[in-house]
């Protein structure tokens, strides 16, 4: 399956809320037309509209293939971004 199709599937999945690498991987593995030999982290990192917002540090969940990270769309991040200290709206 084309990486562009994977990206579009992931962006739609992330539009509601951030998800971790395992959740995204499971979504993709449920798709019948997707070949399982791809580097998910590389695909997500290569898309400027998908942002790694953190790493999940829970024992027993770290996969061997890619780091367990939390991902969101750039739109979600911009919408939920906190105001920076020292900046005041007028």
């Amino acid at each position: 399956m084309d990486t562009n199709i994977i990206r579009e599937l992931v962006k739609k999945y992330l539009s509601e809320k951030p998800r971790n690498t395992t959740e995204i991987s499971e979504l993709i593995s449920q798709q019948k037309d997707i070949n399982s030999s791809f580097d998910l982290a590389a695909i997500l990192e290569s898309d400027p509209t998908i942002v790694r917002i953190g790493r999940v540090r829970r024992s027993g969940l770290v996969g061997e293939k890619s780091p367990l990270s939390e991902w969101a769309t750039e739109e979600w991040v911009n919408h939920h971004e906190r105001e920076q200290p020292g900046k005041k709206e007028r």
Side-chain angles (χ1 to χ4, degrees):
M1 178 176 247
D2 188 16
T3 56
N4 290 329
I5 295 171
I6 293 173
R7 282 189 193 105
E8 291 306 314
L9 178 67
V10 170
K11 282 190 244 184
K12 185 176 179 181
Y13 188 53
L14 294 176
S15 66
E16 296 175 18
K17 66 178 186 175
R19 310 284 181 152
N20 67 46
T21 309
T22 301
E23 292 171 314
I24 296 168
S25 181
E26 285 187 31
L27 169 76
I28 294 171
S29 70
Q30 294 172 359
Q31 306 302 310
K32 295 178 183 176
D33 300 338
I34 298 180
N35 182 345
S36 62
S37 60
F38 58 87
D39 183 353
L40 180 58
I43 291 172
L44 298 176
E45 288 172 346
S46 68
D47 189 319
T49 63
I50 298 175
V51 180
R52 183 189 317 249
I53 59 173
R55 295 195 183 269
V56 177
R57 299 183 190 273
R58 296 183 79 180
S59 176
L61 292 180
V62 178
E64 295 176 10
K65 290 186 178 180
S66 58
L68 188 58
S69 298
E70 194 79 13
W71 302 89
T73 60
E74 185 178 41
E75 182 180 341
W76 187 93
V77 170
N78 290 336
H79 180 74
H80 291 87
E81 193 171 47
R82 292 184 180 167
E83 184 180 328
Q84 298 297 318
K87 280 186 168 180
K88 293 187 178 184
E89 289 187 34
R90 295 176 189 232

